[in-house]
């Protein structure tokens, strides 16, 4: 097909002029020269490029700039950045060029956008790389919030024009949008952009359900309109009588939010009870806006009975993303619930355009100083500053702390604190001070005692109860949600443990002095005997009297006794059936040989497999047992009963399979189990007997028992597993 370049040029200019026109409509302080320059640079840079749809590439940056100007109401720097947003990544233009031509502000934004391009793919098993990208994203966002605004516009346009993408890309982009961009838009108060992003992603990820809902909405369109009119007419009449200047906007909820309701309540479309929402937007003044909203509320609820539990007052306390409105759900005609949203024009602008509108009203001096978005960006900076040993924790923390809804609670002196929904009394204590958290034993909510894990609700007043005897505990990590509390608990526990261990070590020293032992390995043996992870924990237990002198003495006595008994028994008792001598000249035992003269057993203590260096040991009453030469028991056996040991070698190419195992630790990673089993059973073609994964706070321990023919196979496997991201510390184990 021949492309009409002249016509295309005209169309490009037409689109550019439309952008300028719309931009001027929402901002009167634009620097048109800069915008023109950016347009020309982008046009030149992308001139050979086309989009998947075949259209000239420049349509995309123009459209992104238009979203930035029209739907977000942003100014020159953002429009320029939007026009240039793909140049550094996709064309010859460098960041230096941008800085020289457009200055440092634009440069910072373009830099942030370019760095962000890897982004988050929730389905990608390599979660740690994603976490790093996510961190970068948050970092550039905290440098200049416009980075994320332009990125959101970019994403929105890409989602709007995604039909030409291959299916897998559509899915990937949609999941990413639901995972990160829609919550971001929500958090920044860009409600209409958030809703559109969700709906588009919904359309691509769950096409069937999306179609079902949109079809049903279409089918019922006339009925729905009639209903909304019937519902709103009396409200309109009364408001007009009372002299209000207002607009109403009746609508059904978005297909995405209807689908969420269907899923949450597990009901079909027909049973979603509140698909209607009526918006009342009042023209008001800053002085009277609260009163106007509440008067309107009372007019509506005089007419229709409200559900008492569904009143949401974001007029007195705006949402953390700056959203202000009154929401109520009332019983409309025909017994249907209708949500009514009441807000002023100012509140409406903020709800639709987010922080850009915020700034606009702030500049005009009609908004309070506490800019919620600034607060939010500060929180991001704090999260970035706090140490995170696990990249995955970071994403979770940010998602939980920054994107979830917030609740408001009060201290006993009436101070307002904001916490993420789901926060507990313990979160609250740590929010106030780490000392308060460390010694928290519970709280009083409205004079009632509640435990540490009590989930607080908005509006409650909490008094933290403490005890000097209380100490921070690792289990507490399970009952807190805020990043702050988690970090403070970890610090507290570490501090406590170290202090206690020092005490315990001194005590251990004193105990040893009074015991008849000079075993240099005793400490290691005790760690094993008492089944503790390390010496620090052993000392802690000694300090806390969970392990006392008696127990240590007992161990020493038992050890001595066992050793003596074993030696004694073997010395006294004749060996049944076989003695070393009966092997005669055949002084080497060939293992795996079908013509074996002698039965032997593989010793379960070290579980040797072909390839291991081994020896046979003639036991009392249990035939010959095969040990590894470096088996911990072997040293003892070889040293004391050399006459009962037999040389042993493996027969080559044994057809036998031997049970062995590997243990590894690592970072708990998305999809890791399946990758590991895949390597074992598919790539290495080994038979798995059992597999066990334990994950604890992002660290996992895996244990796989499997059948191999020889050590070579096992070494091969270890090599393969070692390069798997997230796996560390592969060890062979002997028993399951
Ligand atoms: Mn782009």
């Amino acid at each position: 097909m021949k492309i009409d370049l002249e016509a295309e040029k005209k169309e490009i200019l037409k689109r550019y002029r439309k952008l300028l026109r719309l931009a001027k409509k929402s901002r009167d302080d634009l620097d048109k020269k800069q915008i023109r320059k950016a347009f020309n640079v982008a046009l030149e840079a992308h001139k050979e490029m086309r989009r998947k749809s075949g259209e000239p590439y420049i349509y995309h940056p123009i459209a992104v700039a238009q979203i930035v100007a029209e739907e977000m109401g942003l100014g020159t720097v953002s429009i320029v950045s939007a026009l240039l947003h793909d140049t550094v990544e996709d064309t010859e233009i460098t960041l230096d060029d941008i800085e020289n031509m457009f200055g440092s502000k634009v440069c910072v934004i373009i830099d942030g956008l370019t760095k962000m391009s890897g982004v988050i793919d929730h389905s990608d098993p390599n979660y740690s790389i994603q976490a790093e990208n996510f961190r970068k994203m948050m970092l550039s966002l905290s440098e200049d919030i416009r980075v994320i605004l332009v990125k959101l516009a970019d994403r929105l346009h890409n989602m709007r024009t995604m039909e030409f993408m291959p299916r897998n890309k559509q899915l990937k982009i949609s999941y990413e949008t639901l995972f990160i961009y829609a919550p971001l838009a929500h958090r920044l108060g860009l409600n209409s952009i958030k809703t559109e992003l969700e709906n588009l992603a919904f359309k691509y990820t769950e096409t069937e359900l999306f179609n079902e809902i949109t079809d049903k909405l279409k089918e019922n369109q006339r009925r729905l309109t009639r209903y909304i009119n019937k519902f709103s007419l009396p409200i309109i009449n009364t408001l007009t009588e009372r002299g209000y200047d207002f607009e109403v906007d009746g609508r059904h909820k978005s297909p995405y939010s209807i689908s969420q309701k269907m899923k949450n309540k597990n009901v079909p479309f027909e049973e979603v009870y509140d698909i209607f929402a009526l918006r009342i937007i009042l023209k008001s003044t800053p002085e009277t806006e609260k009163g106007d909203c509440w008067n309107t509320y009372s007019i509506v609820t005089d007419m229709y009975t409200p559900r008492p539990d569904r009143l949401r007052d974001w007029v007195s306390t705006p949402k953390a993303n700056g959203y202000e409105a009154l929401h109520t759900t009332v019983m409309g005609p025909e017994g249907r619930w209708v949500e009514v949203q009441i807000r002023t024009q100012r509140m409406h602008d903020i709800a639709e355009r987010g922080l850009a509108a915020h700034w606009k009203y702030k500049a005009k001096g009609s908004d309070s100083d506490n800019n919620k978005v600034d607060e939010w960006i500060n929180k991001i900076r704090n999260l970035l500053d706090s140490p995170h040993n696990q990249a995955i924790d970071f994403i979770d923390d940010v998602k939980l702390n920054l994107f979830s809804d917030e609740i408001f609670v009060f201290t006993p002196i009436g101070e307002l604190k904001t916490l993420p929904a789901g926060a507990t009394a313990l979160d609250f204590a740590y929010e106030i001070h780490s000392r308060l958290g460390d010694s928290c034993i519970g709280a009083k909510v409205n004079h009632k005692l509640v435990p540490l894990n009590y989930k607080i609700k908005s509006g409650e007043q909490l008094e933290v109860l403490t005890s000097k005897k209380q100490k921070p505990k690792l289990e507490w990590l399970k009952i807190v949600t805020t990043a702050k509390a988690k970090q403070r608990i970890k610090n507290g526990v570490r501090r406590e443990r170290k202090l206690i261990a020092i005490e315990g070590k001194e005590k251990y020293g004193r105990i040893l002095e009074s015991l008849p032992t000079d075993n240099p390995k005793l400490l290691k043996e005790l760690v094993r005997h008492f089944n503790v992870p390390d010496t620090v924990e052993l000392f802690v237990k000694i300090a806390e009297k969970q392990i006392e002198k008696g127990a240590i003495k007992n161990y020493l006595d038992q050890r001595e006794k066992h050793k003596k008994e074993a030696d004694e028994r073997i010395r006294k008792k004749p060996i049944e059936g076989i003695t070393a001598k009966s092997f005669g000249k055949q002084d080497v035992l060939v293992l795996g040989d079908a013509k074996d003269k002698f039965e032997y057993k593989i010793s379960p203590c070290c579980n040797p497999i072909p390839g291991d260096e081994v020896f046979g040991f003639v036991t009392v009453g249990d035939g010959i047992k095969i040990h590894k030469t470096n088996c911990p028991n072997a040293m003892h056996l070889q040293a004391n009963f050399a006459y009962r040991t037999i040389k042993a070698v493996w027969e080559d190419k044994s057809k036998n399979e031997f049970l062995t195992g590997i243990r590894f630790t690592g970072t708990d990673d998305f999809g890791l189990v399946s990758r590991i089993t895949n390597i074992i059973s598919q790539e290495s073609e080994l038979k798995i007997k059992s597999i066990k994964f334990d994950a604890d706070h992002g660290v996992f321990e895996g244990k796989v028992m499997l059948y191999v023919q020889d050590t070579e196979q096992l070494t091969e496997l270890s090599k393969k597993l070692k390069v798997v991201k997230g796996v560390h510390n592969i060890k062979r184990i002997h028993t399951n």
Side-chain angles (χ1 to χ4, degrees):
M1 196 185 83
K2 211 173 161 305
I3 297 163
D4 186 345
L5 289 174
E6 269 314 302
E8 232 173 49
K9 219 185 237 170
K10 270 191 195 150
E11 177 64 24
I12 292 171
L13 279 177
K14 198 177 124 201
R15 291 187 185 207
Y16 170 69
R17 279 193 221 104
K18 186 178 171 206
L19 158 69
L20 264 192
R21 206 166 55 240
L22 289 166
K24 269 191 283 183
K25 229 167 106 187
S26 60
R27 297 280 286 235
D28 39 24
D29 58 347
L30 293 180
D31 182 343
K32 270 181 281 174
K33 260 197 204 154
Q34 283 287 309
I35 297 175
R36 177 89 213 183
K37 193 162 118 194
F39 169 65
N40 285 331
V41 169
L43 185 62
E44 178 62 22
H46 293 297
K47 73 176 174 214
E48 306 293 347
M49 297 165 63
R50 288 188 176 270
R51 304 200 82 208
K52 278 252 156 41
S53 58
E55 291 176 332
Y57 194 86
I58 190 72
Y59 286 4
H60 169 61
I62 294 177
V64 174
Q66 191 178 315
I67 294 170
V68 158
E70 188 191 7
E71 296 178 45
M72 297 179 178
L74 299 174
T76 308
V77 171
S78 308
I79 296 171
V80 165
S81 304
L83 284 168
L84 298 169
H85 81 272
D86 277 332
T87 54
V88 172
E89 203 189 342
D90 297 343
T91 75
E92 309 278 272
I93 290 178
T94 65
L95 264 186
D96 285 340
D97 298 337
I98 300 280
E99 169 133 44
N100 290 336
M101 286 187 281
F102 299 98
S104 62
K105 271 188 198 163
V106 173
C107 181
V108 166
I109 297 173
I110 302 290
D111 187 26
L113 284 163
T114 310
K115 277 187 195 141
M116 214 187 271
S117 57
V119 285
I120 328 291
D121 175 2
H122 202 38
S123 64
D124 187 336
N126 200 341
Y127 213 64
S128 57
I129 289 182
Q130 293 177 47
E132 198 39 48
N133 285 332
F134 188 72
R135 198 183 170 82
K136 270 188 216 150
M137 180 168 167
M138 288 296 132
L139 203 63
S140 36
L141 182 158
S142 71
E143 269 163 29
D144 191 321
I145 190 80
R146 286 174 291 196
V147 174
I148 203 68
L149 294 172
V150 176
K151 181 73 197 176
L152 281 170
D154 179 31
R155 174 52 53 109
L156 181 59
H157 186 246
N158 283 335
M159 292 287 296
R160 280 175 182 171
T161 55
M162 207 156 61
E163 69 264 45
F164 299 102
M165 288 279 188
R167 177 78 183 136
N168 63 333
K169 275 246 171 109
Q170 288 175 343
L171 280 177
K172 188 182 147 183
I173 293 174
S174 297
Y175 282 124
E176 188 186 82
T177 298
L178 287 176
F179 181 66
I180 181 83
Y181 291 105
L184 260 174
H186 175 63
R187 203 57 189 68
L188 294 169
L190 295 157
N191 275 315
S192 51
I193 288 178
K194 169 211 158 212
T195 307
E196 191 178 345
L197 283 175
E198 281 173 347
N199 273 323
L200 286 165
F202 175 43
K203 178 173 140 191
Y204 286 104
T205 52
E206 292 175 87
T207 314
E208 243 170 70
L209 186 58
F210 176 84
N211 288 339
E212 185 199 322
I213 294 175
T214 44
D215 285 352
K216 285 200 170 139
L217 288 172
K218 250 184 244 152
E219 263 169 46
N220 295 311
Q221 188 58 51
R222 284 188 42 211
R223 212 165 48 80
L224 297 182
T225 313
R226 225 172 5 212
Y227 183 85
I228 273 290
N229 288 346
K230 187 171 164 194
F231 175 83
S232 48
L233 195 63
I235 298 177
I236 294 173
N237 287 339
T238 314
L239 282 172
T240 316
E241 273 165 31
R242 306 267 174 97
Y244 281 102
D245 185 2
F246 66 94
E247 278 168 34
V248 292
D249 177 12
R251 54 173 69 201
H252 57 73
K253 294 192 169 165
S254 76
Y256 177 74
S257 74
I258 293 175
S259 79
Q260 292 305 99
K261 283 177 200 290
M262 288 165 67
K263 283 182 194 165
N264 290 341
K265 303 222 163 71
N266 200 11
V267 294
F269 176 86
E270 287 70 23
E271 283 168 40
V272 176
Y273 66 82
D274 54 347
I275 62 164
F276 295 111
L278 180 73
R279 224 171 247 174
I280 305 173
I281 301 159
L282 301 157
K283 304 280 183 313
S284 183
T285 61
E287 294 76 35
T288 59
E289 60 173 20
K290 278 188 189 171
D292 290 343
C293 287
W294 282 110
N295 284 335
T296 307
Y297 171 80
S298 102
I299 289 168
V300 172
T301 51
D302 279 349
M303 238 166 262
Y304 301 111
T305 315
R307 262 182 73 150
D309 59 325
R310 300 280 297 194
L311 169 64
R312 298 285 179 272
D313 171 15
W314 290 303
V315 164
S316 312
T317 326
K319 267 196 189 182
N321 65 9
Y323 184 76
E324 295 168 72
L326 285 179
H327 286 196
T328 177
T329 302
V330 299
M331 179 61 78
E334 298 161 33
R336 310 187 73 144
W337 293 107
V338 179
E339 183 180 284
V340 182
Q341 305 173 354
I342 303 164
R343 47 172 95 148
T344 64
Q345 186 64 48
R346 179 189 68 77
M347 298 172 186
H348 179 67
D349 285 353
I350 287 171
E352 295 304 297
R353 283 174 157 193
L355 75 162
H358 233 291
W359 284 336
K360 178 172 130 197
Y361 284 100
K362 198 177 170 185
K364 285 184 182 167
S366 63
D367 194 11
S368 63
D369 293 329
N370 80 47
N371 187 332
K372 297 277 180 184
V373 173
D374 285 346
E375 260 174 46
W376 185 67
I377 292 172
N378 269 333
K379 266 196 183 174
I380 293 184
R381 291 203 183 106
N382 287 338
L383 271 181
L384 285 164
D385 286 344
S386 70
H388 277 85
N389 12 14
Q390 297 288 327
I392 302 151
D393 282 356
F394 178 70
I395 296 191
D396 286 348
D397 281 352
V398 174
K399 289 275 290 179
L400 207 62
N401 285 276
L402 299 180
F403 297 148
S404 62
D405 271 339
E406 311 216 340
I407 50 174
F408 301 93
V409 281
F410 297 96
T411 66
I413 53 166
E415 216 183 319
L416 183 71
K417 295 274 171 197
T418 331
L419 288 165
T424 57
L426 190 57
D427 277 305
F428 178 78
Y430 274 110
E431 178 65 28
I432 297 175
H433 200 283
S434 53
R435 232 178 307 148
L436 208 55
D438 284 347
S439 55
C440 180
I441 51 168
K444 265 189 193 168
V445 175
N446 307 330
H447 307 293
K448 230 183 80 202
L449 272 174
V450 296
L452 293 173
N453 62 356
Y454 173 78
K455 283 212 167 48
I456 38 190
K457 294 179 205 75
S458 237
E460 286 178 338
Q461 189 163 33
L462 266 87
E463 184 189 345
V464 175
L465 302 173
T466 60
S467 157
K468 274 186 193 155
K469 291 203 177 113
Q470 182 65 296
K471 297 267 151 62
K473 297 175 178 64
L474 275 179
E475 301 93 84
W476 286 4
L477 288 174
K478 289 184 190 127
I479 55 176
V480 296
T481 59
T482 58
K484 198 179 198 172
K486 279 184 193 162
Q487 196 54 46
R488 288 183 164 176
I489 289 170
K490 281 183 203 158
N491 291 343
V493 169
R494 216 173 293 138
R495 228 179 10 248
E496 281 301 317
R497 258 173 60 99
K498 273 193 189 144
L499 281 178
I500 299 170
I502 291 171
E503 211 181 291
K505 195 176 175 183
E506 282 170 9
K507 208 165 161 192
Y508 175 73
R510 286 198 298 277
I511 292 174
L512 274 205
E513 276 170 27
S514 63
L515 290 174
T517 177
D518 54 355
N519 181 354
K521 285 187 188 149
L522 183 60
L523 203 52
K524 261 193 188 164
E525 286 177 19
L526 290 175
V527 165
R528 206 169 345 129
H529 176 70
F530 290 112
N531 200 16
V532 289
D534 52 24
T535 48
V536 175
E537 198 54 41
L538 182 75
F539 290 146
V540 168
K541 288 228 153 89
I542 290 172
E544 285 172 347
K545 293 187 180 164
Q546 291 178 49
I547 297 173
E548 297 195 90
K549 182 180 166 181
I552 297 175
K553 189 167 179 303
N554 248 346
Y555 169 74
L556 286 172
D557 292 349
Q558 289 294 322
R559 191 171 170 275
E560 198 55 32
K561 202 173 137 205
H562 279 160
K563 217 176 133 194
K564 268 190 195 145
E565 274 174 8
D567 290 1
E568 207 56 23
R569 199 171 52 227
I570 285 157
R571 229 165 258 142
K572 278 182 190 159
K573 210 172 177 184
I575 297 158
E576 291 161 27
I578 32 173
T579 64
K581 273 182 194 146
S582 63
F583 290 102
K585 275 180 193 139
Q586 192 206 8
D587 52 13
V588 174
L589 188 59
V590 180
L591 305 173
D593 187 344
K595 292 165 285 178
D596 270 350
K597 270 192 189 162
F598 301 100
E599 292 270 315
Y600 60 85
K601 282 181 186 156
I602 301 291
S603 172
C605 63
C606 56
N607 237 350
I609 57 172
D612 284 332
E613 229 183 280
V614 288
F615 70 96
F617 182 74
V618 185
T619 65
V620 181
D622 202 16
I624 302 171
K625 285 231 172 116
I626 307 299
H627 290 268
K628 295 209 285 190
T629 40
N630 61 1
C631 167
N633 295 333
M635 322 272 187
H636 175 66
L637 300 175
Q638 300 240 29
N640 294 297
F641 308 101
Y643 63 97
R644 294 168 63 190
T645 62
I646 307 162
K647 272 191 192 163
V649 291
W650 299 99
E651 186 199 36
D652 271 349
K653 302 264 180 277
S654 165
K655 293 278 179 304
N656 294 333
E657 285 181 323
F658 293 81
L659 181 64
T660 184
I662 46 172
R663 190 175 62 193
F664 36 88
T665 55
T667 32
D668 188 8
D669 210 340
F670 195 77
L672 195 69
V673 179
S674 68
R675 250 177 304 142
I676 286 172
T677 52
N678 200 42
I679 286 175
I680 297 173
S681 63
Q682 301 295 314
E683 286 179 34
S684 311
E685 297 184 314
L686 297 173
K687 211 160 76 197
I688 296 176
K689 181 176 182 248
S690 67
I691 184 158
K692 195 167 170 256
F693 271 72
D694 285 319
D696 185 25
H697 296 104
V699 177
F700 74 83
E701 193 180 290
K703 214 158 90 177
V704 182
M705 299 304 293
L706 65 156
Y707 295 97
V708 295
Q709 289 184 351
D710 52 27
T711 44
E712 219 169 283
Q713 279 189 333
L714 198 61
T715 317
E716 262 317 291
L717 177 64
S718 298
K719 261 191 224 156
K720 280 184 193 159
L721 291 178
K722 246 174 225 162
V723 296
V724 175
K725 276 258 162 64
V727 171
H728 315 282
N729 242 334
I730 303 178
K731 267 199 197 123
R732 175 165 160 201
I733 47 173
H734 307 296
T735 46
N736 53 349

